[in-house]
Amino acid sequence: MTIIVTGGAGFIGSNFVFHMLKNHPEDRIICLDKLTYAGNLSTLAPVMNQSNFRFVKDDICDREAVYRLFEEEHPDIVVNFAAESHVDRSIETPEIFLQTNIIGTAVLMDACRKYGIRRYHQVSTDEVYGDLPLDRPDLFFTEETPIHTSSPYSSSKASADLLVMAYHRTYELPVTISRCSNNYGPYHFPEKLIPLMIVNALHDKPLPVYGEGLNVRDWLYVEDHCKAIDLVIHNGRVGEVYNIGGHNEMRNIDIVKLICNALGKPESLITHVADRKGHDMRYAIDPTKIHNELGWLPETKFADGIEQTIDWYLHHQEWWETIISGEYQNYYDKMYGNRAVLV
Ligand code: NAD
Ligand code: DAU
């Protein structure tokens, strides 16, 4: 089979490319990626010369380029990871999120309609469900939880999900959607909580925790997410949504303290700063459906996954040093330079 993986030079997409090449060597993997600030070609260097892998630098919003690729490759499956993915950036500049996350999804699905496809898979997020209160630990997101978004990012992802379902109903496009909780692991861009704290701690820089740090996220090791998508594209039912999460809820402040301790850095580096606008309190996935239907369960315990992740950052300094020495510095100064410090 020929599989187009969009956004394969980013965090989860690259881990998925590696997963597929390793576990399905008979398949041909085409990575379509625009190489935005979040895409990194060096990540894909180990597979670049593999005969069943091709990298194409293009924008999923570029209809001509996408159609050309479909004419060349006749894909059987498209897995769409390509997106603007950072909530904080969406609060600063929403428009690019609408462009890539909504229009890009429509262009990809139009190509699937025009040239035919066995499966279009949309990689979505638990953020489309909004958030849960901290005082109701009995509540979880199921596939039936109403869409109720908070940020321009989550709204753009929810819009894309609605379009995907509309293309299924209207054009009978064979689609699936997965909605996953927070991922962590290798190649995570250092604008996100876990890699940002690791990188800052290694430089003895302040660790900027938004507000009191009581917000809860449900962390999943990235390889477990890749395995779940692999199952959904092969065995998932067309027209269905699958939630993916590991029942691994943690408060931000506890994650940051854990990172300090693991790296032997003082917790006094922790700096409470002004909160994110519209900050979601708690995410928690109920993964019963994917477990019952497809037999998926998370395999990596958080204690092991976070240790492996910290170790990966310690041993791949060149990968993230290159990133943070470029445009990232301007981003960091803009987002954190004037942010109020809470006492
Ligand atoms: P990322 O920001 O690390 O990577 C995004 C990739 O998409 C980059 O390689 C970038 O170059 C590429 N891209 C962006 N715009 C593009 C365009 N117009 N055309 C082609 N390529 C483009 O993102 P990530 O964290 O790996 O997330 C991947 C997907 O998974 C996203 O759709 C995101 O919404 C979803 N998701 C992420 C998480 C998470 O915890 N990171 C959890 C659930 C769902
Ligand atoms: O839940 C899935 C989502 O998880 C994905 O859809 C998004 O693409 C992904 O970025 C992630 O969104 P979050 O906003 O939860 O992730 P982030 O790493 O940006 O933040 C995690 C928590 O940490 C959140 O409560 C905000 C907080 N935070 C984040 C940063 C970057 C801080 O306290 N300080 C920081 O500097």
Side-chain angles (χ1 to χ4, degrees):
M1 279 205 289
T2 297
I3 304 177
I4 291 185
V5 177
T6 70
F11 166 42
I12 310 174
S14 60
N15 278 281
F16 185 73
V17 165
F18 298 144
H19 168 90
M20 293 302 282
L21 288 171
K22 186 170 164 211
N23 293 283
H24 301 278
E26 70 286 0
D27 288 342
R28 181 170 155 73
I29 306 294
I30 317 294
C31 170
L32 168 61
D33 199 296
K34 185 183 175 185
L35 295 182
T36 67
Y37 78 91
N40 200 327
L41 207 47
S42 76
T43 301
L44 295 171
V47 297
M48 214 46 137
N49 294 324
Q50 230 167 281
S51 58
N52 58 343
F53 178 74
R54 178 183 172 197
F55 178 81
V56 179
K57 181 180 182 307
D58 259 316
D59 186 337
I60 59 166
C61 303
D62 182 342
R63 193 171 287 274
E64 227 174 85
V66 170
Y67 285 12
R68 194 170 51 237
L69 185 61
F70 272 67
E71 269 168 28
E72 286 169 13
E73 295 289 351
H74 307 289
D76 300 286
I77 298 178
V78 172
V79 184
N80 182 25
F81 289 93
E84 288 293 332
S85 69
H86 193 33
V87 173
D88 290 329
R89 288 187 193 252
S90 83
I91 295 167
E92 294 297 308
T93 49
E95 196 173 334
I96 182 67
F97 286 73
L98 311 187
Q99 189 63 27
T100 288
N101 299 1
I102 306 174
I103 304 297
T105 298
V107 169
L108 286 172
M109 290 194 298
D110 284 341
C112 292
R113 286 171 56 209
K114 185 170 159 72
Y115 297 98
I117 200 80
R118 282 161 72 160
R119 178 66 62 87
Y120 173 86
H121 183 74
Q122 178 73 2
V123 181
S124 186
T125 167
D126 61 359
E127 296 200 16
V128 301
Y129 300 122
D131 64 351
L132 296 164
L134 288 183
D135 61 357
R136 289 294 308 274
D138 55 314
L139 295 181
F140 296 92
F141 297 137
T142 73
E143 289 79 1
E144 274 68 52
T145 301
I147 300 286
H148 184 80
T149 57
S150 311
S151 70
Y153 162 70
S154 56
S155 303
S156 68
K157 293 294 289 184
S159 305
D161 284 11
L162 292 175
L163 261 187
V164 172
M165 286 323 228
Y167 272 56
H168 172 58
R169 174 157 176 167
T170 308
Y171 308 115
E172 296 180 354
L173 197 71
V175 305
T176 37
I177 296 177
S178 54
R179 294 180 178 147
C180 192
S181 59
N182 287 61
N183 285 213
Y184 69 100
Y187 302 108
H188 205 178
F189 195 85
E191 68 190 347
K192 307 283 169 54
L193 179 77
I194 288 181
L196 185 143
M197 297 300 166
I198 296 173
V199 165
N200 278 19
L202 287 173
H203 285 119
D204 298 305
K205 281 177 65 174
L207 307 177
V209 170
Y210 298 164
E212 291 182 78
L214 303 180
N215 308 65
V216 168
R217 298 293 183 264
D218 180 359
W219 294 94
L220 183 73
Y221 194 61
V222 63
E223 177 63 12
D224 280 324
H225 186 188
C226 295
K227 286 180 181 164
I229 294 175
D230 185 352
L231 280 172
V232 173
I233 60 177
H234 289 105
N235 305 328
R237 284 184 295 137
V238 163
E240 293 292 320
V241 173
Y242 292 91
N243 281 357
I244 307 170
H247 281 306
N248 180 54
E249 294 178 49
M250 295 195 61
R251 301 187 312 175
N252 295 340
I253 188 71
D254 297 328
I255 298 249
V256 179
K257 284 182 178 171
L258 186 155
I259 291 170
C260 287
N261 295 338
L263 292 173
K265 299 292 180 180
E267 288 181 10
S268 57
L269 286 175
I270 295 173
T271 311
H272 291 272
V273 297
D275 211 347
R276 173 185 278 175
K277 291 191 180 94
H279 199 172
D280 281 339
M281 240 17 250
R282 169 176 171 247
Y283 302 146
I285 281 279
D286 175 355
T288 304
K289 179 174 174 180
I290 190 168
H291 174 61
N292 288 347
E293 283 191 21
L294 305 179
W296 179 87
L297 274 179
E299 292 167 25
T300 306
K301 289 198 186 78
F302 186 75
D304 299 333
I306 194 72
E307 192 184 320
Q308 285 166 36
T309 303
I310 292 173
D311 200 53
W312 188 89
Y313 279 86
L314 284 170
H315 289 96
H316 292 78
Q317 204 133 340
E318 206 182 302
W319 182 86
W320 54 263
E321 287 281 8
T322 310
I323 291 172
I324 66 169
S325 62
E327 179 56 29
Y328 181 86
Q329 272 316 319
N330 297 333
Y331 164 81
Y332 198 90
D333 291 345
K334 185 174 166 207
M335 300 303 269
Y336 297 92
N338 294 322
R339 203 162 190 136
V341 173
L342 310 175
V343 280

